[in-house]
Structures are given as structure tokens and as C-alpha cells.
PDB file of all heavy atoms in Angstrom:
ATOM      1  N   ILE A 139     108.751  99.019  97.357  1.00  0.00           N
ATOM      2  CA  ILE A 139     108.491  98.783  95.932  1.00  0.00           C
ATOM      3  C   ILE A 139     109.762  99.061  95.130  1.00  0.00           C
ATOM      4  O   ILE A 139     110.026  98.424  94.108  1.00  0.00           O
ATOM      5  CB  ILE A 139     107.331  99.657  95.426  1.00  0.00           C
ATOM      6  CG1 ILE A 139     106.056  99.346  96.199  1.00  0.00           C
ATOM      7  CG2 ILE A 139     107.092  99.430  93.944  1.00  0.00           C
ATOM      8  CD1 ILE A 139     105.496  97.968  95.994  1.00  0.00           C
ATOM      9  N   GLY A 140     110.576 100.004  95.618  1.00  0.00           N
ATOM     10  CA  GLY A 140     111.866 100.245  94.982  1.00  0.00           C
ATOM     11  C   GLY A 140     112.738  99.001  94.996  1.00  0.00           C
ATOM     12  O   GLY A 140     113.431  98.687  94.020  1.00  0.00           O
ATOM     13  N   TYR A 141     112.745  98.266  96.119  1.00  0.00           N
ATOM     14  CA  TYR A 141     113.456  96.981  96.178  1.00  0.00           C
ATOM     15  C   TYR A 141     112.960  96.046  95.079  1.00  0.00           C
ATOM     16  O   TYR A 141     113.750  95.398  94.375  1.00  0.00           O
ATOM     17  CB  TYR A 141     113.223  96.314  97.534  1.00  0.00           C
ATOM     18  CG  TYR A 141     114.223  96.667  98.601  1.00  0.00           C
ATOM     19  CD1 TYR A 141     113.888  97.523  99.648  1.00  0.00           C
ATOM     20  CD2 TYR A 141     115.500  96.132  98.593  1.00  0.00           C
ATOM     21  CE1 TYR A 141     114.788  97.844 100.652  1.00  0.00           C
ATOM     22  CE2 TYR A 141     116.416  96.445  99.588  1.00  0.00           C
ATOM     23  CZ  TYR A 141     116.064  97.304 100.616  1.00  0.00           C
ATOM     24  OH  TYR A 141     116.964  97.619 101.595  1.00  0.00           O
ATOM     25  N   MET A 142     111.643  95.967  94.941  1.00  0.00           N
ATOM     26  CA  MET A 142     111.067  95.046  93.956  1.00  0.00           C
ATOM     27  C   MET A 142     111.418  95.465  92.529  1.00  0.00           C
ATOM     28  O   MET A 142     111.762  94.624  91.682  1.00  0.00           O
ATOM     29  CB  MET A 142     109.550  94.989  94.116  1.00  0.00           C
ATOM     30  CG  MET A 142     109.081  94.554  95.489  1.00  0.00           C
ATOM     31  SD  MET A 142     107.295  94.778  95.667  1.00  0.00           S
ATOM     32  CE  MET A 142     107.140  94.976  97.444  1.00  0.00           C
ATOM     33  N   MET A 143     111.340  96.761  92.243  1.00  0.00           N
ATOM     34  CA  MET A 143     111.673  97.245  90.906  1.00  0.00           C
ATOM     35  C   MET A 143     113.143  96.997  90.590  1.00  0.00           C
ATOM     36  O   MET A 143     113.500  96.596  89.476  1.00  0.00           O
ATOM     37  CB  MET A 143     111.350  98.732  90.796  1.00  0.00           C
ATOM     38  CG  MET A 143     109.874  99.050  90.842  1.00  0.00           C
ATOM     39  SD  MET A 143     108.931  98.463  89.416  1.00  0.00           S
ATOM     40  CE  MET A 143     109.479  99.634  88.183  1.00  0.00           C
ATOM     41  N   LEU A 144     113.995  97.237  91.571  1.00  0.00           N
ATOM     42  CA  LEU A 144     115.422  96.981  91.369  1.00  0.00           C
ATOM     43  C   LEU A 144     115.651  95.510  91.057  1.00  0.00           C
ATOM     44  O   LEU A 144     116.393  95.166  90.130  1.00  0.00           O
ATOM     45  CB  LEU A 144     116.203  97.402  92.618  1.00  0.00           C
ATOM     46  CG  LEU A 144     117.726  97.528  92.501  1.00  0.00           C
ATOM     47  CD1 LEU A 144     118.270  98.427  93.599  1.00  0.00           C
ATOM     48  CD2 LEU A 144     118.430  96.181  92.569  1.00  0.00           C
ATOM     49  N   ALA A 145     114.998  94.633  91.818  1.00  0.00           N
ATOM     50  CA  ALA A 145     115.148  93.195  91.566  1.00  0.00           C
ATOM     51  C   ALA A 145     114.637  92.821  90.185  1.00  0.00           C
ATOM     52  O   ALA A 145     115.267  92.026  89.466  1.00  0.00           O
ATOM     53  CB  ALA A 145     114.411  92.397  92.641  1.00  0.00           C
ATOM     54  N   ALA A 146     113.505  93.396  89.783  1.00  0.00           N
ATOM     55  CA  ALA A 146     112.973  93.103  88.455  1.00  0.00           C
ATOM     56  C   ALA A 146     113.919  93.589  87.362  1.00  0.00           C
ATOM     57  O   ALA A 146     114.033  92.971  86.303  1.00  0.00           O
ATOM     58  CB  ALA A 146     111.598  93.745  88.288  1.00  0.00           C
ATOM     59  N   GLY A 147     114.634  94.683  87.621  1.00  0.00           N
ATOM     60  CA  GLY A 147     115.593  95.185  86.647  1.00  0.00           C
ATOM     61  C   GLY A 147     116.812  94.296  86.493  1.00  0.00           C
ATOM     62  O   GLY A 147     117.539  94.397  85.501  1.00  0.00           O
ATOM     63  N   LEU A 148     117.045  93.397  87.445  1.00  0.00           N
ATOM     64  CA  LEU A 148     118.185  92.476  87.357  1.00  0.00           C
ATOM     65  C   LEU A 148     117.921  91.325  86.390  1.00  0.00           C
ATOM     66  O   LEU A 148     118.815  90.523  86.124  1.00  0.00           O
ATOM     67  CB  LEU A 148     118.510  91.913  88.744  1.00  0.00           C
ATOM     68  CG  LEU A 148     118.936  92.942  89.804  1.00  0.00           C
ATOM     69  CD1 LEU A 148     119.143  92.259  91.149  1.00  0.00           C
ATOM     70  CD2 LEU A 148     120.200  93.671  89.376  1.00  0.00           C
ATOM     71  N   GLY A 149     116.694  91.220  85.882  1.00  0.00           N
ATOM     72  CA  GLY A 149     116.394  90.167  84.925  1.00  0.00           C
ATOM     73  C   GLY A 149     116.089  88.849  85.600  1.00  0.00           C
ATOM     74  O   GLY A 149     115.587  88.803  86.735  1.00  0.00           O
ATOM     75  N   PRO A 150     116.367  87.734  84.927  1.00  0.00           N
ATOM     76  CA  PRO A 150     116.044  86.408  85.484  1.00  0.00           C
ATOM     77  C   PRO A 150     116.650  86.158  86.852  1.00  0.00           C
ATOM     78  O   PRO A 150     116.138  85.336  87.616  1.00  0.00           O
ATOM     79  CB  PRO A 150     116.634  85.450  84.436  1.00  0.00           C
ATOM     80  CG  PRO A 150     116.642  86.227  83.164  1.00  0.00           C
ATOM     81  CD  PRO A 150     116.926  87.648  83.564  1.00  0.00           C
ATOM     82  N   VAL A 151     117.729  86.858  87.186  1.00  0.00           N
ATOM     83  CA  VAL A 151     118.323  86.699  88.511  1.00  0.00           C
ATOM     84  C   VAL A 151     117.384  87.215  89.598  1.00  0.00           C
ATOM     85  O   VAL A 151     117.385  86.706  90.725  1.00  0.00           O
ATOM     86  CB  VAL A 151     119.674  87.448  88.587  1.00  0.00           C
ATOM     87  CG1 VAL A 151     120.270  87.366  89.981  1.00  0.00           C
ATOM     88  CG2 VAL A 151     120.646  86.886  87.565  1.00  0.00           C
ATOM     89  N   GLY A 152     116.565  88.209  89.251  1.00  0.00           N
ATOM     90  CA  GLY A 152     115.779  88.875  90.278  1.00  0.00           C
ATOM     91  C   GLY A 152     114.278  88.778  90.175  1.00  0.00           C
ATOM     92  O   GLY A 152     113.576  89.129  91.133  1.00  0.00           O
ATOM     93  N   TYR A 153     113.726  88.318  89.028  1.00  0.00           N
ATOM     94  CA  TYR A 153     112.270  88.303  88.872  1.00  0.00           C
ATOM     95  C   TYR A 153     111.567  87.550  90.004  1.00  0.00           C
ATOM     96  O   TYR A 153     110.604  88.035  90.601  1.00  0.00           O
ATOM     97  CB  TYR A 153     111.879  87.667  87.536  1.00  0.00           C
ATOM     98  CG  TYR A 153     112.209  88.492  86.326  1.00  0.00           C
ATOM     99  CD1 TYR A 153     112.753  87.906  85.177  1.00  0.00           C
ATOM    100  CD2 TYR A 153     111.959  89.867  86.300  1.00  0.00           C
ATOM    101  CE1 TYR A 153     113.048  88.651  84.055  1.00  0.00           C
ATOM    102  CE2 TYR A 153     112.264  90.624  85.180  1.00  0.00           C
ATOM    103  CZ  TYR A 153     112.806  90.010  84.058  1.00  0.00           C
ATOM    104  OH  TYR A 153     113.100  90.762  82.956  1.00  0.00           O
ATOM    105  N   VAL A 154     112.031  86.335  90.272  1.00  0.00           N
ATOM    106  CA  VAL A 154     111.373  85.504  91.280  1.00  0.00           C
ATOM    107  C   VAL A 154     111.378  86.190  92.642  1.00  0.00           C
ATOM    108  O   VAL A 154     110.370  86.211  93.357  1.00  0.00           O
ATOM    109  CB  VAL A 154     112.060  84.125  91.380  1.00  0.00           C
ATOM    110  CG1 VAL A 154     111.532  83.355  92.591  1.00  0.00           C
ATOM    111  CG2 VAL A 154     111.831  83.325  90.110  1.00  0.00           C
ATOM    112  N   PHE A 155     112.509  86.794  92.997  1.00  0.00           N
ATOM    113  CA  PHE A 155     112.636  87.379  94.327  1.00  0.00           C
ATOM    114  C   PHE A 155     111.900  88.720  94.421  1.00  0.00           C
ATOM    115  O   PHE A 155     111.477  89.120  95.508  1.00  0.00           O
ATOM    116  CB  PHE A 155     114.108  87.509  94.691  1.00  0.00           C
ATOM    117  CG  PHE A 155     114.834  86.198  94.617  1.00  0.00           C
ATOM    118  CD1 PHE A 155     115.881  86.009  93.724  1.00  0.00           C
ATOM    119  CD2 PHE A 155     114.425  85.127  95.394  1.00  0.00           C
ATOM    120  CE1 PHE A 155     116.522  84.788  93.627  1.00  0.00           C
ATOM    121  CE2 PHE A 155     115.062  83.902  95.316  1.00  0.00           C
ATOM    122  CZ  PHE A 155     116.112  83.726  94.426  1.00  0.00           C
ATOM    123  N   ALA A 156     111.743  89.403  93.287  1.00  0.00           N
ATOM    124  CA  ALA A 156     110.905  90.607  93.284  1.00  0.00           C
ATOM    125  C   ALA A 156     109.472  90.236  93.644  1.00  0.00           C
ATOM    126  O   ALA A 156     108.824  90.912  94.461  1.00  0.00           O
ATOM    127  CB  ALA A 156     110.958  91.279  91.912  1.00  0.00           C
ATOM    128  N   ILE A 157     108.959  89.161  93.049  1.00  0.00           N
ATOM    129  CA  ILE A 157     107.589  88.736  93.340  1.00  0.00           C
ATOM    130  C   ILE A 157     107.489  88.152  94.744  1.00  0.00           C
ATOM    131  O   ILE A 157     106.492  88.356  95.440  1.00  0.00           O
ATOM    132  CB  ILE A 157     107.113  87.708  92.289  1.00  0.00           C
ATOM    133  CG1 ILE A 157     107.213  88.316  90.884  1.00  0.00           C
ATOM    134  CG2 ILE A 157     105.685  87.283  92.576  1.00  0.00           C
ATOM    135  CD1 ILE A 157     106.416  89.582  90.687  1.00  0.00           C
ATOM    136  N   MET A 158     108.517  87.445  95.176  1.00  0.00           N
ATOM    137  CA  MET A 158     108.495  86.893  96.534  1.00  0.00           C
ATOM    138  C   MET A 158     108.427  88.018  97.567  1.00  0.00           C
ATOM    139  O   MET A 158     107.644  87.948  98.528  1.00  0.00           O
ATOM    140  CB  MET A 158     109.747  86.046  96.758  1.00  0.00           C
ATOM    141  CG  MET A 158     109.829  85.397  98.127  1.00  0.00           C
ATOM    142  SD  MET A 158     111.282  84.336  98.254  1.00  0.00           S
ATOM    143  CE  MET A 158     111.256  83.904  99.997  1.00  0.00           C
ATOM    144  N   HIS A 159     109.214  89.068  97.375  1.00  0.00           N
ATOM    145  CA  HIS A 159     109.164  90.197  98.310  1.00  0.00           C
ATOM    146  C   HIS A 159     107.833  90.924  98.193  1.00  0.00           C
ATOM    147  O   HIS A 159     107.306  91.436  99.190  1.00  0.00           O
ATOM    148  CB  HIS A 159     110.325  91.147  98.034  1.00  0.00           C
ATOM    149  CG  HIS A 159     110.509  92.188  99.099  1.00  0.00           C
ATOM    150  ND1 HIS A 159     110.700  91.883 100.417  1.00  0.00           N
ATOM    151  CD2 HIS A 159     110.506  93.549  99.036  1.00  0.00           C
ATOM    152  CE1 HIS A 159     110.825  92.989 101.138  1.00  0.00           C
ATOM    153  NE2 HIS A 159     110.700  94.014 100.318  1.00  0.00           N
ATOM    154  N   LEU A 160     107.278  90.955  96.987  1.00  0.00           N
ATOM    155  CA  LEU A 160     105.973  91.586  96.791  1.00  0.00           C
ATOM    156  C   LEU A 160     104.903  90.879  97.630  1.00  0.00           C
ATOM    157  O   LEU A 160     104.058  91.520  98.259  1.00  0.00           O
ATOM    158  CB  LEU A 160     105.616  91.546  95.304  1.00  0.00           C
ATOM    159  CG  LEU A 160     104.328  92.209  94.837  1.00  0.00           C
ATOM    160  CD1 LEU A 160     104.502  92.716  93.400  1.00  0.00           C
ATOM    161  CD2 LEU A 160     103.144  91.246  94.872  1.00  0.00           C
ATOM    162  N   VAL A 161     104.952  89.537  97.656  1.00  0.00           N
ATOM    163  CA  VAL A 161     103.948  88.779  98.407  1.00  0.00           C
ATOM    164  C   VAL A 161     104.145  88.957  99.908  1.00  0.00           C
ATOM    165  O   VAL A 161     103.187  89.222 100.647  1.00  0.00           O
ATOM    166  CB  VAL A 161     104.004  87.285  98.029  1.00  0.00           C
ATOM    167  CG1 VAL A 161     103.030  86.481  98.895  1.00  0.00           C
ATOM    168  CG2 VAL A 161     103.664  87.100  96.550  1.00  0.00           C
ATOM    169  N   THR A 162     105.377  88.801 100.385  1.00  0.00           N
ATOM    170  CA  THR A 162     105.608  88.977 101.827  1.00  0.00           C
ATOM    171  C   THR A 162     105.284  90.411 102.250  1.00  0.00           C
ATOM    172  O   THR A 162     104.709  90.640 103.322  1.00  0.00           O
ATOM    173  CB  THR A 162     107.058  88.638 102.193  1.00  0.00           C
ATOM    174  OG1 THR A 162     107.968  89.476 101.449  1.00  0.00           O
ATOM    175  CG2 THR A 162     107.375  87.185 101.889  1.00  0.00           C
ATOM    176  N   HIS A 163     105.626  91.376 101.389  1.00  0.00           N
ATOM    177  CA  HIS A 163     105.299  92.775 101.668  1.00  0.00           C
ATOM    178  C   HIS A 163     103.790  92.972 101.755  1.00  0.00           C
ATOM    179  O   HIS A 163     103.301  93.772 102.572  1.00  0.00           O
ATOM    180  CB  HIS A 163     105.889  93.666 100.568  1.00  0.00           C
ATOM    181  CG  HIS A 163     105.541  95.113 100.695  1.00  0.00           C
ATOM    182  ND1 HIS A 163     104.465  95.679 100.035  1.00  0.00           N
ATOM    183  CD2 HIS A 163     106.109  96.113 101.402  1.00  0.00           C
ATOM    184  CE1 HIS A 163     104.402  96.960 100.329  1.00  0.00           C
ATOM    185  NE2 HIS A 163     105.375  97.257 101.155  1.00  0.00           N
ATOM    186  N   GLY A 164     103.032  92.237 100.937  1.00  0.00           N
ATOM    187  CA  GLY A 164     101.583  92.349 100.994  1.00  0.00           C
ATOM    188  C   GLY A 164     101.041  92.003 102.367  1.00  0.00           C
ATOM    189  O   GLY A 164     100.117  92.651 102.865  1.00  0.00           O
ATOM    190  N   PHE A 165     101.643  90.993 103.016  1.00  0.00           N
ATOM    191  CA  PHE A 165     101.191  90.613 104.352  1.00  0.00           C
ATOM    192  C   PHE A 165     101.583  91.655 105.398  1.00  0.00           C
ATOM    193  O   PHE A 165     100.735  92.177 106.132  1.00  0.00           O
ATOM    194  CB  PHE A 165     101.776  89.245 104.738  1.00  0.00           C
ATOM    195  CG  PHE A 165     101.118  88.097 104.050  1.00  0.00           C
ATOM    196  CD1 PHE A 165     101.800  87.355 103.091  1.00  0.00           C
ATOM    197  CD2 PHE A 165      99.813  87.747 104.343  1.00  0.00           C
ATOM    198  CE1 PHE A 165     101.192  86.298 102.447  1.00  0.00           C
ATOM    199  CE2 PHE A 165      99.193  86.679 103.711  1.00  0.00           C
ATOM    200  CZ  PHE A 165      99.889  85.950 102.749  1.00  0.00           C
ATOM    201  N   PHE A 166     102.886  91.965 105.484  1.00  0.00           N
ATOM    202  CA  PHE A 166     103.269  92.831 106.605  1.00  0.00           C
ATOM    203  C   PHE A 166     102.902  94.290 106.392  1.00  0.00           C
ATOM    204  O   PHE A 166     102.618  94.999 107.352  1.00  0.00           O
ATOM    205  CB  PHE A 166     104.743  92.666 107.000  1.00  0.00           C
ATOM    206  CG  PHE A 166     105.771  92.855 105.917  1.00  0.00           C
ATOM    207  CD1 PHE A 166     106.010  94.076 105.331  1.00  0.00           C
ATOM    208  CD2 PHE A 166     106.561  91.768 105.530  1.00  0.00           C
ATOM    209  CE1 PHE A 166     106.998  94.244 104.371  1.00  0.00           C
ATOM    210  CE2 PHE A 166     107.546  91.924 104.563  1.00  0.00           C
ATOM    211  CZ  PHE A 166     107.765  93.166 103.982  1.00  0.00           C
ATOM    212  N   LYS A 167     102.842  94.756 105.145  1.00  0.00           N
ATOM    213  CA  LYS A 167     102.451  96.152 104.964  1.00  0.00           C
ATOM    214  C   LYS A 167     100.948  96.336 105.177  1.00  0.00           C
ATOM    215  O   LYS A 167     100.520  97.348 105.744  1.00  0.00           O
ATOM    216  CB  LYS A 167     102.878  96.642 103.578  1.00  0.00           C
ATOM    217  CG  LYS A 167     102.626  98.134 103.323  1.00  0.00           C
ATOM    218  CD  LYS A 167     103.185  99.030 104.411  1.00  0.00           C
ATOM    219  CE  LYS A 167     104.693  98.992 104.523  1.00  0.00           C
ATOM    220  NZ  LYS A 167     105.409  99.528 103.389  1.00  0.00           N
ATOM    221  N   ALA A 168     100.140  95.371 104.745  1.00  0.00           N
ATOM    222  CA  ALA A 168      98.708  95.444 105.041  1.00  0.00           C
ATOM    223  C   ALA A 168      98.489  95.410 106.548  1.00  0.00           C
ATOM    224  O   ALA A 168      97.660  96.148 107.096  1.00  0.00           O
ATOM    225  CB  ALA A 168      97.966  94.288 104.367  1.00  0.00           C
ATOM    226  N   GLY A 169      99.254  94.558 107.253  1.00  0.00           N
ATOM    227  CA  GLY A 169      99.149  94.513 108.706  1.00  0.00           C
ATOM    228  C   GLY A 169      99.523  95.825 109.360  1.00  0.00           C
ATOM    229  O   GLY A 169      98.890  96.259 110.339  1.00  0.00           O
ATOM    230  N   LEU A 170     100.551  96.483 108.827  1.00  0.00           N
ATOM    231  CA  LEU A 170     100.976  97.761 109.390  1.00  0.00           C
ATOM    232  C   LEU A 170      99.918  98.841 109.169  1.00  0.00           C
ATOM    233  O   LEU A 170      99.616  99.629 110.076  1.00  0.00           O
ATOM    234  CB  LEU A 170     102.309  98.186 108.759  1.00  0.00           C
ATOM    235  CG  LEU A 170     103.535  97.365 109.172  1.00  0.00           C
ATOM    236  CD1 LEU A 170     104.727  97.708 108.282  1.00  0.00           C
ATOM    237  CD2 LEU A 170     103.880  97.606 110.635  1.00  0.00           C
ATOM    238  N   PHE A 171      99.343  98.895 107.985  1.00  0.00           N
ATOM    239  CA  PHE A 171      98.331  99.919 107.720  1.00  0.00           C
ATOM    240  C   PHE A 171      97.055  99.664 108.520  1.00  0.00           C
ATOM    241  O   PHE A 171      96.445 100.607 109.049  1.00  0.00           O
ATOM    242  CB  PHE A 171      98.015  99.990 106.226  1.00  0.00           C
ATOM    243  CG  PHE A 171      98.864 100.977 105.490  1.00  0.00           C
ATOM    244  CD1 PHE A 171      99.837 100.557 104.602  1.00  0.00           C
ATOM    245  CD2 PHE A 171      98.707 102.334 105.679  1.00  0.00           C
ATOM    246  CE1 PHE A 171     100.635 101.463 103.922  1.00  0.00           C
ATOM    247  CE2 PHE A 171      99.490 103.259 105.008  1.00  0.00           C
ATOM    248  CZ  PHE A 171     100.459 102.820 104.128  1.00  0.00           C
ATOM    249  N   LEU A 172      96.647  98.398 108.605  1.00  0.00           N
ATOM    250  CA  LEU A 172      95.457  98.109 109.403  1.00  0.00           C
ATOM    251  C   LEU A 172      95.733  98.379 110.881  1.00  0.00           C
ATOM    252  O   LEU A 172      94.845  98.832 111.620  1.00  0.00           O
ATOM    253  CB  LEU A 172      95.033  96.660 109.196  1.00  0.00           C
ATOM    254  CG  LEU A 172      94.575  96.291 107.779  1.00  0.00           C
ATOM    255  CD1 LEU A 172      93.971  94.891 107.755  1.00  0.00           C
ATOM    256  CD2 LEU A 172      93.582  97.296 107.223  1.00  0.00           C
ATOM    257  N   GLY A 173      96.961  98.120 111.322  1.00  0.00           N
ATOM    258  CA  GLY A 173      97.330  98.471 112.691  1.00  0.00           C
ATOM    259  C   GLY A 173      97.294  99.968 112.916  1.00  0.00           C
ATOM    260  O   GLY A 173      96.826 100.446 113.961  1.00  0.00           O
ATOM    261  N   ALA A 174      97.772 100.731 111.940  1.00  0.00           N
ATOM    262  CA  ALA A 174      97.698 102.192 112.050  1.00  0.00           C
ATOM    263  C   ALA A 174      96.251 102.653 112.106  1.00  0.00           C
ATOM    264  O   ALA A 174      95.899 103.562 112.876  1.00  0.00           O
ATOM    265  CB  ALA A 174      98.414 102.832 110.853  1.00  0.00           C
ATOM    266  N   GLY A 175      95.389 102.008 111.307  1.00  0.00           N
ATOM    267  CA  GLY A 175      93.969 102.350 111.363  1.00  0.00           C
ATOM    268  C   GLY A 175      93.355 102.020 112.704  1.00  0.00           C
ATOM    269  O   GLY A 175      92.497 102.758 113.210  1.00  0.00           O
ATOM    270  N   SER A 176      93.795 100.918 113.300  1.00  0.00           N
ATOM    271  CA  SER A 176      93.298 100.553 114.623  1.00  0.00           C
ATOM    272  C   SER A 176      93.715 101.591 115.665  1.00  0.00           C
ATOM    273  O   SER A 176      92.920 101.968 116.543  1.00  0.00           O
ATOM    274  CB  SER A 176      93.841  99.171 115.010  1.00  0.00           C
ATOM    275  OG  SER A 176      93.389  98.777 116.281  1.00  0.00           O
ATOM    276  N   VAL A 177      94.954 102.063 115.557  1.00  0.00           N
ATOM    277  CA  VAL A 177      95.422 103.118 116.468  1.00  0.00           C
ATOM    278  C   VAL A 177      94.592 104.385 116.281  1.00  0.00           C
ATOM    279  O   VAL A 177      94.143 105.006 117.259  1.00  0.00           O
ATOM    280  CB  VAL A 177      96.915 103.405 116.233  1.00  0.00           C
ATOM    281  CG1 VAL A 177      97.350 104.662 116.996  1.00  0.00           C
ATOM    282  CG2 VAL A 177      97.769 102.211 116.662  1.00  0.00           C
TER     283      VAL A 177
END
């Protein structure tokens, strides 16, 4: 989330990529937590 906040602080240069990382992070971080729960 620090990556995303930093990107958002860059203004128009970073807004799109902050949200893009937010979406990809939603997939792999949810997968990691559900995997941890499975373990």
C-alpha cells in the first residue's frame, strides 16, 4: 500500500499505476492470505 500511496503522491504521473497495482495486489494478496488460511 506504501507503493500505491507513493504513486498517488506523484500526481497524474502515478494515479493510474497506483490503481493498477492496487488491482493486481488485490488478486495476489487475497491468494496469499487464503493460501495461509488453507495452511
Side-chain angles (χ1 to χ4, degrees):
I139 300 294
Y141 270 106
M142 302 171 206
M143 292 293 286
L144 194 158
L148 298 176
V151 177
Y153 290 138
V154 170
F155 304 118
I157 303 302
M158 181 176 172
H159 191 56
L160 183 150
V161 176
T162 58
H163 176 266
F165 285 111
F166 55 68
K167 185 51 65 66
L170 289 169
F171 269 110
L172 295 189
S176 180
V177 170

